[in-house]
Amino acid sequence: MHNFQAQDHFADGAQYIAGRLTKGTSGRTHAVVDPATADEVYTYELAGSDDVDAAVTAAAEAFPGWAGATPGERSDTMHRFAGVLADRAEEFAHAESLQCGKPIKLSREFDVPGTVDNTSFFAGAARHLQGQSAGEYTGDHTSYVRREPIGVVGSIAPWNYPLQMAAWKVLPAIAAGNTIVLKPAELTPFTSLLFAQAATEAGIPDGVVNIVTGAGKDAGEHLVGHPDVAMTSFTGSTGVGKRVAEIATATVKRLHLELGGKAPFVVFDDADLDAAVHGAVAGALINSGQDCTAATRAYVQRPLYEAFVQGVADLMESVRLGDPFDPSTDMGPLISHVHRDRVAGFVDRARSYARVVTGGEALQHPGAFYKPTLIADAAQDSEIVQSEIFGPVLVVLPFDSDDEGIRLANDTPYGLAASAWSRDVYRAGRATREIKAGCVWVNDHIPILSEMPHGGYKASGYGKDMSAYSFEEYTQIKHVMFDNTAVVRKDWHRTIFGDR
């Protein structure tokens, strides 16, 4: 059984502003539900516009001091932050599994250690936030580039990876000297609040990291449109991302969007079939398929197609669903019954035009469980192939030529992630060049690491999380130019007034 009692941890409220927990002032409450049992585990007051204003004010007041700290000072504090997270790893893992329903082994071995590593990475990266070195590009001037923090960042994170997404938003922002107000999904606030508390425990000043937990229409839109917020970073669906962009554009904010995905999984006929089968099941079912980079469309060259379908079906049927806190559980529930029914709707509609090979049904259980599902023989333009389902559903289609396989892989609005499976380095290399996605794996699918960027093409958004590239999102670039001549009447002045 889990050992995280949310009502005790957050008795003072689900808002974290200027270094302390407080209750929301919207006048509305929300219940966090354990998706594995349907039990309410925490009830809290939602944030309203006044709470957002208070958090932005706290962040704005903290900004000059934090931005003025040396890179070494920020780095040292963030290293302490990583240590606090590591010391409290089990607490974070239990809180994450309780609110999300994800298996404890996933929380312990993926979400929490990945977040600790990301914190350590940005602690080091804070000391390497540099512009271009000086140079005399005109001959008469010395130029250099400064990278400066933007100000208050207002970020919105999704419910599927609450801890990691909080880290991806907070860490590059504060490493660069910004302050932040983060709105987590109201379904899953626990680990975002714990993350902010850990930042304070590590010595990060009050107001640098703030959390407002409220509804998107209220707290979220007010945060994005706030005149004192200089940048918005959003991770979520493409539809909501468009709304965020509309609001942010009205105040000419810096905008970073990481949106939906429909990742292709392209298996060429020389691939290691067993490896591809195992990779497809793991890539499709991670986090119950609630992952924007999850393998969702497997394109398999025709000589391997039938064997691949059978292999994936057999392996999916061996996956163990159950109590997220049982270490032997492979897959937990979906985030809610509403979302489970949405996923089931996609599958049920597909029965009229495709073949459900395995799965395709909910468990008779109080929790929001849905069986791993494999669908074959769908048309490329069908809903099940084109739309983001965000559940444990993989659709498999055959292809003949390499040209066709790559064309089909690119044939959706999305471009977040993809994988190519081949023993031929030239074939795989072509796929990495021609598949339009922000990440293309070869002979694997899903691994991410702090040193490498994450972000999409096309309707999957723009901007990068993780890696040093993320500083491009969270810094202003300033050109500084010094005259080296001390000449009063410069030659170029004559283009404006006077003669040579």
Side-chain angles (χ1 to χ4, degrees), residues 202-216:
I204 292 175
D206 293 349
V208 173
V209 179
N210 306 275
I211 308 294
V212 289
T213 310

Side-chain angles (χ1 to χ4, degrees), residues 266-284:
V266 184
V267 183
F268 295 100
D269 57 14
D270 67 329
D272 182 323
L273 178 62
D274 195 43
V277 165
H278 281 77
V281 174

Side-chain angles (χ1 to χ4, degrees), residues 132-351:
Q132 191 172 1
S133 59
E136 285 69 46
Y137 296 100
T138 70
D140 291 338
H141 305 81
T142 295
S143 288
Y144 68 88
V145 171
R146 290 176 54 86
R147 304 194 73 150
E148 298 178 348
I150 294 172
V152 177
V153 178
S155 291
I156 300 175
W159 48 256
N160 58 331
Y161 289 104
L163 176 58
Q164 290 203 56
M165 295 299 100
W168 287 14
K169 301 301 183 193
V170 170
L171 295 172
I174 67 172
N178 302 285
T179 56
I180 189 166
V181 179
L182 172 71
K183 193 199 87 65
E186 57 267 40
L187 297 173
T188 54
F190 298 162
T191 45
S192 296
L193 293 167
L194 291 176
F195 192 71
Q197 288 179 311
T200 299
E201 184 180 341
I204 292 175
D206 293 349
V208 173
V209 179
N210 306 275
I211 308 294
V212 289
T213 310
K217 284 288 186 182
D218 301 325
E221 293 199 0
H222 190 63
L223 177 62
V224 173
H226 200 290
D228 295 331
V229 169
M231 173 185 168
T232 290
S233 175
F234 171 80
T235 296
S237 70
T238 298
V240 177
K242 291 177 180 178
R243 174 60 179 158
V244 168
E246 289 174 0
I247 299 170
T249 300
T251 50
V252 199
K253 286 178 171 54
R254 177 79 64 88
L255 185 60
H256 171 206
L257 299 174
E258 197 265 86
L259 306 177
K262 190 70 177 176
F265 186 101
V266 184
V267 183
F268 295 100
D269 57 14
D270 67 329
D272 182 323
L273 178 62
D274 195 43
V277 165
H278 281 77
V281 174
L285 301 185
I286 185 171
N287 203 37
S288 300
Q290 299 167 134
D291 185 313
C292 50
T293 63
T296 58
R297 299 177 289 139
Y299 296 101
V300 184
Q301 207 149 25
R302 206 169 294 274
L304 298 184
Y305 180 73
E306 293 298 339
F308 179 88
V309 170
Q310 188 61 56
V312 169
D314 291 345
L315 191 53
M316 278 188 170
E317 289 167 4
S318 73
V319 170
R320 299 164 296 185
L321 280 66
D323 178 7
F325 293 96
D326 182 341
S328 67
T329 293
D330 296 322
M331 196 178 96
L334 297 177
I335 189 64
S336 68
H337 287 82
V338 170
H339 186 59
R340 184 197 66 185
D341 293 345
R342 177 183 177 277
V343 170
F346 278 103
V347 176
D348 290 343
R349 290 190 295 275
R351 295 179 195 277

Side-chain angles (χ1 to χ4, degrees), residues 66 69-79 118-130 171-177 468 471:
W66 184 247
T70 67
E73 289 168 340
R74 288 199 295 268
S75 177
D76 289 347
T77 307
M78 292 181 69
H79 276 300
N118 212 229
T119 307
S120 294
F121 172 82
F122 279 107
R127 302 188 80 139
H128 298 280
L129 185 56
Q130 300 166 345
L171 295 172
I174 67 172
F471 284 137

